[in-house]
Amino acid sequence: MPFCSNCGNEVKDNTKFCPNCGNAMNKESEPTSTPQNNNSGINCPKCGSIIPFGNTVCLNCGTPLNQESNTVAIILGYIGTILGSLFIPLLGIIIGIISAIYLLTRPSKSAKIHGIIIIIILAIIVILWFSYMSYVNSMRSYYYY
């Protein structure tokens, strides 16, 4: 069995792309468009061939799979941060920090951008809450003394 020249992963003889990193194993061969129907994997969105479960790229055409959708984490991050900060500030800050850390550790560039936006929203909320609490304390000391 040959090995991938990019990552060193052992690959089958007729494999065109490394299942681990997507590196082309045979540069002169072109991908074929032969969709298969099999329950041993999922269909490639580009060429329709079967991609065995556990692979991150199509073995036929090298298309990487987008296996992770961060939509739920992004929405919960925004809603939890804003609503939590309005009603229970500490809870909102905790939810925002957890969701921002989760999004920043994802490989998706858009997830990282949303993680940074949530951190900026958290910073603004913390500044507003400290400003509001300082104002309330100054008014309290003004009226009670």
Side-chain angles (χ1 to χ4, degrees):
M1 286 189 152
F3 292 91
C4 175
S5 62
N6 186 39
C7 69
N9 187 41
E10 187 174 0
V11 295
K12 294 181 182 177
D13 289 331
N14 296 332
T15 304
K16 295 180 182 178
F17 293 89
C18 174
N20 188 40
C21 69
N23 185 43
M25 297 300 295
N26 192 357
K27 303 273 186 213
E28 64 271 6
S29 63
E30 292 295 320
T32 60
S33 299
T34 57
Q36 303 170 2
N37 291 324
N38 192 343
N39 289 334
S40 64
I42 59 174
N43 289 336
C44 174
K46 185 175 180 183
C47 71
S49 65
I50 296 294
I51 303 170
F53 292 118
N55 289 352
T56 58
V57 296
C58 177
L59 301 176
N60 192 34
C61 67
T63 302
L65 297 179
N66 187 6
Q67 298 174 340
E68 188 174 348
S69 175
N70 300 305
T71 307
V72 174
I74 292 168
I75 292 171
L76 287 177
Y78 285 122
I79 292 173
T81 301
I82 294 170
L83 291 180
S85 297
L86 291 175
F87 299 110
I88 305 171
L90 185 59
L91 179 65
I93 292 170
I94 291 171
I95 290 172
I97 290 172
I98 290 171
S99 61
I101 290 171
Y102 174 80
L103 291 171
L104 288 172
T105 58
R106 302 296 101 195
S108 168
K109 185 176 180 179
S110 67
K112 291 181 190 302
I113 291 171
H114 286 289
I116 292 170
I117 292 171
I118 289 174
I119 290 173
I120 293 169
I121 291 171
L122 281 173
I124 292 169
I125 288 171
V126 167
I127 291 169
L128 290 174
W129 269 105
F130 277 118
S131 300
Y132 174 72
M133 295 309 285
S134 297
Y135 174 75
V136 168
N137 284 334
S138 68
M139 288 294 114
R140 190 178 303 159
S141 64
Y142 177 75
Y143 285 115
Y144 291 118
Y145 293 113

PDB file of all heavy atoms in Angstrom, residues 83-102:
ATOM      1  N   LEU A  83     -29.440  38.693  25.808  1.00  0.00           N
ATOM      2  CA  LEU A  83     -30.560  38.565  26.742  1.00  0.00           C
ATOM      3  C   LEU A  83     -30.087  38.279  28.162  1.00  0.00           C
ATOM      4  O   LEU A  83     -30.629  38.823  29.120  1.00  0.00           O
ATOM      5  CB  LEU A  83     -31.525  37.471  26.277  1.00  0.00           C
ATOM      6  CG  LEU A  83     -32.320  37.789  25.023  1.00  0.00           C
ATOM      7  CD1 LEU A  83     -33.227  36.622  24.665  1.00  0.00           C
ATOM      8  CD2 LEU A  83     -33.134  39.047  25.198  1.00  0.00           C
ATOM      9  N   GLY A  84     -29.086  37.412  28.282  1.00  0.00           N
ATOM     10  CA  GLY A  84     -28.551  37.133  29.613  1.00  0.00           C
ATOM     11  C   GLY A  84     -27.969  38.366  30.260  1.00  0.00           C
ATOM     12  O   GLY A  84     -28.142  38.599  31.459  1.00  0.00           O
ATOM     13  N   SER A  85     -27.304  39.190  29.484  1.00  0.00           N
ATOM     14  CA  SER A  85     -26.688  40.392  30.033  1.00  0.00           C
ATOM     15  C   SER A  85     -27.726  41.440  30.421  1.00  0.00           C
ATOM     16  O   SER A  85     -27.501  42.245  31.314  1.00  0.00           O
ATOM     17  CB  SER A  85     -25.705  40.987  29.036  1.00  0.00           C
ATOM     18  OG  SER A  85     -24.663  40.078  28.814  1.00  0.00           O
ATOM     19  N   LEU A  86     -28.869  41.444  29.744  1.00  0.00           N
ATOM     20  CA  LEU A  86     -29.916  42.400  30.096  1.00  0.00           C
ATOM     21  C   LEU A  86     -30.619  42.024  31.397  1.00  0.00           C
ATOM     22  O   LEU A  86     -30.978  42.893  32.180  1.00  0.00           O
ATOM     23  CB  LEU A  86     -30.947  42.490  28.963  1.00  0.00           C
ATOM     24  CG  LEU A  86     -30.456  43.133  27.674  1.00  0.00           C
ATOM     25  CD1 LEU A  86     -31.537  43.043  26.605  1.00  0.00           C
ATOM     26  CD2 LEU A  86     -30.064  44.575  27.904  1.00  0.00           C
ATOM     27  N   PHE A  87     -30.834  40.727  31.628  1.00  0.00           N
ATOM     28  CA  PHE A  87     -31.602  40.297  32.784  1.00  0.00           C
ATOM     29  C   PHE A  87     -30.733  39.797  33.936  1.00  0.00           C
ATOM     30  O   PHE A  87     -30.970  40.136  35.082  1.00  0.00           O
ATOM     31  CB  PHE A  87     -32.615  39.220  32.366  1.00  0.00           C
ATOM     32  CG  PHE A  87     -33.593  39.731  31.345  1.00  0.00           C
ATOM     33  CD1 PHE A  87     -33.553  39.281  30.047  1.00  0.00           C
ATOM     34  CD2 PHE A  87     -34.526  40.703  31.683  1.00  0.00           C
ATOM     35  CE1 PHE A  87     -34.444  39.758  29.103  1.00  0.00           C
ATOM     36  CE2 PHE A  87     -35.418  41.187  30.750  1.00  0.00           C
ATOM     37  CZ  PHE A  87     -35.379  40.715  29.453  1.00  0.00           C
ATOM     38  N   ILE A  88     -29.756  38.973  33.635  1.00  0.00           N
ATOM     39  CA  ILE A  88     -28.838  38.462  34.663  1.00  0.00           C
ATOM     40  C   ILE A  88     -27.424  38.642  34.101  1.00  0.00           C
ATOM     41  O   ILE A  88     -26.935  37.786  33.356  1.00  0.00           O
ATOM     42  CB  ILE A  88     -29.123  36.978  34.975  1.00  0.00           C
ATOM     43  CG1 ILE A  88     -30.588  36.785  35.371  1.00  0.00           C
ATOM     44  CG2 ILE A  88     -28.206  36.487  36.080  1.00  0.00           C
ATOM     45  CD1 ILE A  88     -30.996  35.345  35.488  1.00  0.00           C
ATOM     46  N   PRO A  89     -26.785  39.744  34.413  1.00  0.00           N
ATOM     47  CA  PRO A  89     -25.509  40.076  33.771  1.00  0.00           C
ATOM     48  C   PRO A  89     -24.434  38.989  33.887  1.00  0.00           C
ATOM     49  O   PRO A  89     -23.771  38.681  32.902  1.00  0.00           O
ATOM     50  CB  PRO A  89     -25.062  41.345  34.486  1.00  0.00           C
ATOM     51  CG  PRO A  89     -26.301  41.908  35.064  1.00  0.00           C
ATOM     52  CD  PRO A  89     -27.214  40.776  35.340  1.00  0.00           C
ATOM     53  N   LEU A  90     -24.273  38.403  35.049  1.00  0.00           N
ATOM     54  CA  LEU A  90     -23.235  37.396  35.205  1.00  0.00           C
ATOM     55  C   LEU A  90     -23.509  36.183  34.329  1.00  0.00           C
ATOM     56  O   LEU A  90     -22.598  35.638  33.695  1.00  0.00           O
ATOM     57  CB  LEU A  90     -23.125  36.970  36.678  1.00  0.00           C
ATOM     58  CG  LEU A  90     -21.988  36.012  37.010  1.00  0.00           C
ATOM     59  CD1 LEU A  90     -20.650  36.636  36.638  1.00  0.00           C
ATOM     60  CD2 LEU A  90     -22.023  35.647  38.470  1.00  0.00           C
ATOM     61  N   LEU A  91     -24.769  35.766  34.234  1.00  0.00           N
ATOM     62  CA  LEU A  91     -25.137  34.638  33.378  1.00  0.00           C
ATOM     63  C   LEU A  91     -24.853  34.962  31.908  1.00  0.00           C
ATOM     64  O   LEU A  91     -24.323  34.130  31.171  1.00  0.00           O
ATOM     65  CB  LEU A  91     -26.612  34.285  33.566  1.00  0.00           C
ATOM     66  CG  LEU A  91     -27.131  33.136  32.707  1.00  0.00           C
ATOM     67  CD1 LEU A  91     -26.450  31.834  33.095  1.00  0.00           C
ATOM     68  CD2 LEU A  91     -28.633  33.029  32.839  1.00  0.00           C
ATOM     69  N   GLY A  92     -25.202  36.156  31.474  1.00  0.00           N
ATOM     70  CA  GLY A  92     -24.940  36.555  30.091  1.00  0.00           C
ATOM     71  C   GLY A  92     -23.468  36.570  29.764  1.00  0.00           C
ATOM     72  O   GLY A  92     -23.047  36.154  28.679  1.00  0.00           O
ATOM     73  N   ILE A  93     -22.657  37.036  30.697  1.00  0.00           N
ATOM     74  CA  ILE A  93     -21.210  37.076  30.481  1.00  0.00           C
ATOM     75  C   ILE A  93     -20.648  35.657  30.405  1.00  0.00           C
ATOM     76  O   ILE A  93     -19.825  35.347  29.538  1.00  0.00           O
ATOM     77  CB  ILE A  93     -20.525  37.911  31.585  1.00  0.00           C
ATOM     78  CG1 ILE A  93     -20.918  39.382  31.418  1.00  0.00           C
ATOM     79  CG2 ILE A  93     -19.020  37.740  31.550  1.00  0.00           C
ATOM     80  CD1 ILE A  93     -20.510  40.267  32.563  1.00  0.00           C
ATOM     81  N   ILE A  94     -21.122  34.773  31.272  1.00  0.00           N
ATOM     82  CA  ILE A  94     -20.645  33.387  31.252  1.00  0.00           C
ATOM     83  C   ILE A  94     -21.042  32.701  29.946  1.00  0.00           C
ATOM     84  O   ILE A  94     -20.224  32.039  29.301  1.00  0.00           O
ATOM     85  CB  ILE A  94     -21.178  32.612  32.477  1.00  0.00           C
ATOM     86  CG1 ILE A  94     -20.511  33.136  33.752  1.00  0.00           C
ATOM     87  CG2 ILE A  94     -20.936  31.119  32.326  1.00  0.00           C
ATOM     88  CD1 ILE A  94     -21.122  32.602  35.031  1.00  0.00           C
ATOM     89  N   ILE A  95     -22.303  32.866  29.536  1.00  0.00           N
ATOM     90  CA  ILE A  95     -22.763  32.260  28.272  1.00  0.00           C
ATOM     91  C   ILE A  95     -21.953  32.815  27.101  1.00  0.00           C
ATOM     92  O   ILE A  95     -21.544  32.088  26.203  1.00  0.00           O
ATOM     93  CB  ILE A  95     -24.266  32.507  28.061  1.00  0.00           C
ATOM     94  CG1 ILE A  95     -25.076  31.699  29.065  1.00  0.00           C
ATOM     95  CG2 ILE A  95     -24.690  32.154  26.639  1.00  0.00           C
ATOM     96  CD1 ILE A  95     -26.551  32.021  29.063  1.00  0.00           C
ATOM     97  N   GLY A  96     -21.710  34.126  27.115  1.00  0.00           N
ATOM     98  CA  GLY A  96     -20.943  34.745  26.037  1.00  0.00           C
ATOM     99  C   GLY A  96     -19.514  34.247  25.972  1.00  0.00           C
ATOM    100  O   GLY A  96     -18.990  33.968  24.884  1.00  0.00           O
ATOM    101  N   ILE A  97     -18.876  34.099  27.113  1.00  0.00           N
ATOM    102  CA  ILE A  97     -17.491  33.619  27.138  1.00  0.00           C
ATOM    103  C   ILE A  97     -17.419  32.177  26.641  1.00  0.00           C
ATOM    104  O   ILE A  97     -16.554  31.831  25.826  1.00  0.00           O
ATOM    105  CB  ILE A  97     -16.890  33.760  28.553  1.00  0.00           C
ATOM    106  CG1 ILE A  97     -16.679  35.236  28.881  1.00  0.00           C
ATOM    107  CG2 ILE A  97     -15.586  32.989  28.676  1.00  0.00           C
ATOM    108  CD1 ILE A  97     -16.276  35.503  30.307  1.00  0.00           C
ATOM    109  N   ILE A  98     -18.340  31.338  27.108  1.00  0.00           N
ATOM    110  CA  ILE A  98     -18.331  29.933  26.682  1.00  0.00           C
ATOM    111  C   ILE A  98     -18.575  29.823  25.176  1.00  0.00           C
ATOM    112  O   ILE A  98     -17.864  29.090  24.475  1.00  0.00           O
ATOM    113  CB  ILE A  98     -19.382  29.119  27.471  1.00  0.00           C
ATOM    114  CG1 ILE A  98     -18.935  28.987  28.929  1.00  0.00           C
ATOM    115  CG2 ILE A  98     -19.594  27.746  26.849  1.00  0.00           C
ATOM    116  CD1 ILE A  98     -19.976  28.398  29.842  1.00  0.00           C
ATOM    117  N   SER A  99     -19.566  30.552  24.670  1.00  0.00           N
ATOM    118  CA  SER A  99     -19.845  30.461  23.231  1.00  0.00           C
ATOM    119  C   SER A  99     -18.708  31.057  22.404  1.00  0.00           C
ATOM    120  O   SER A  99     -18.376  30.540  21.333  1.00  0.00           O
ATOM    121  CB  SER A  99     -21.171  31.129  22.892  1.00  0.00           C
ATOM    122  OG  SER A  99     -21.142  32.490  23.219  1.00  0.00           O
ATOM    123  N   ALA A 100     -18.093  32.132  22.882  1.00  0.00           N
ATOM    124  CA  ALA A 100     -16.971  32.731  22.141  1.00  0.00           C
ATOM    125  C   ALA A 100     -15.785  31.780  22.093  1.00  0.00           C
ATOM    126  O   ALA A 100     -15.161  31.606  21.033  1.00  0.00           O
ATOM    127  CB  ALA A 100     -16.565  34.052  22.782  1.00  0.00           C
ATOM    128  N   ILE A 101     -15.481  31.134  23.202  1.00  0.00           N
ATOM    129  CA  ILE A 101     -14.367  30.180  23.220  1.00  0.00           C
ATOM    130  C   ILE A 101     -14.661  29.014  22.279  1.00  0.00           C
ATOM    131  O   ILE A 101     -13.797  28.580  21.516  1.00  0.00           O
ATOM    132  CB  ILE A 101     -14.089  29.688  24.658  1.00  0.00           C
ATOM    133  CG1 ILE A 101     -13.489  30.824  25.484  1.00  0.00           C
ATOM    134  CG2 ILE A 101     -13.160  28.484  24.656  1.00  0.00           C
ATOM    135  CD1 ILE A 101     -13.368  30.515  26.951  1.00  0.00           C
ATOM    136  N   TYR A 102     -15.894  28.511  22.329  1.00  0.00           N
ATOM    137  CA  TYR A 102     -16.267  27.407  21.438  1.00  0.00           C
ATOM    138  C   TYR A 102     -16.102  27.818  19.975  1.00  0.00           C
ATOM    139  O   TYR A 102     -15.525  27.086  19.176  1.00  0.00           O
ATOM    140  CB  TYR A 102     -17.713  26.975  21.707  1.00  0.00           C
ATOM    141  CG  TYR A 102     -18.206  25.938  20.738  1.00  0.00           C
ATOM    142  CD1 TYR A 102     -17.864  24.604  20.897  1.00  0.00           C
ATOM    143  CD2 TYR A 102     -18.997  26.284  19.644  1.00  0.00           C
ATOM    144  CE1 TYR A 102     -18.298  23.643  19.997  1.00  0.00           C
ATOM    145  CE2 TYR A 102     -19.437  25.334  18.744  1.00  0.00           C
ATOM    146  CZ  TYR A 102     -19.081  24.015  18.927  1.00  0.00           C
ATOM    147  OH  TYR A 102     -19.508  23.073  18.029  1.00  0.00           O
TER     148      TYR A 102
END
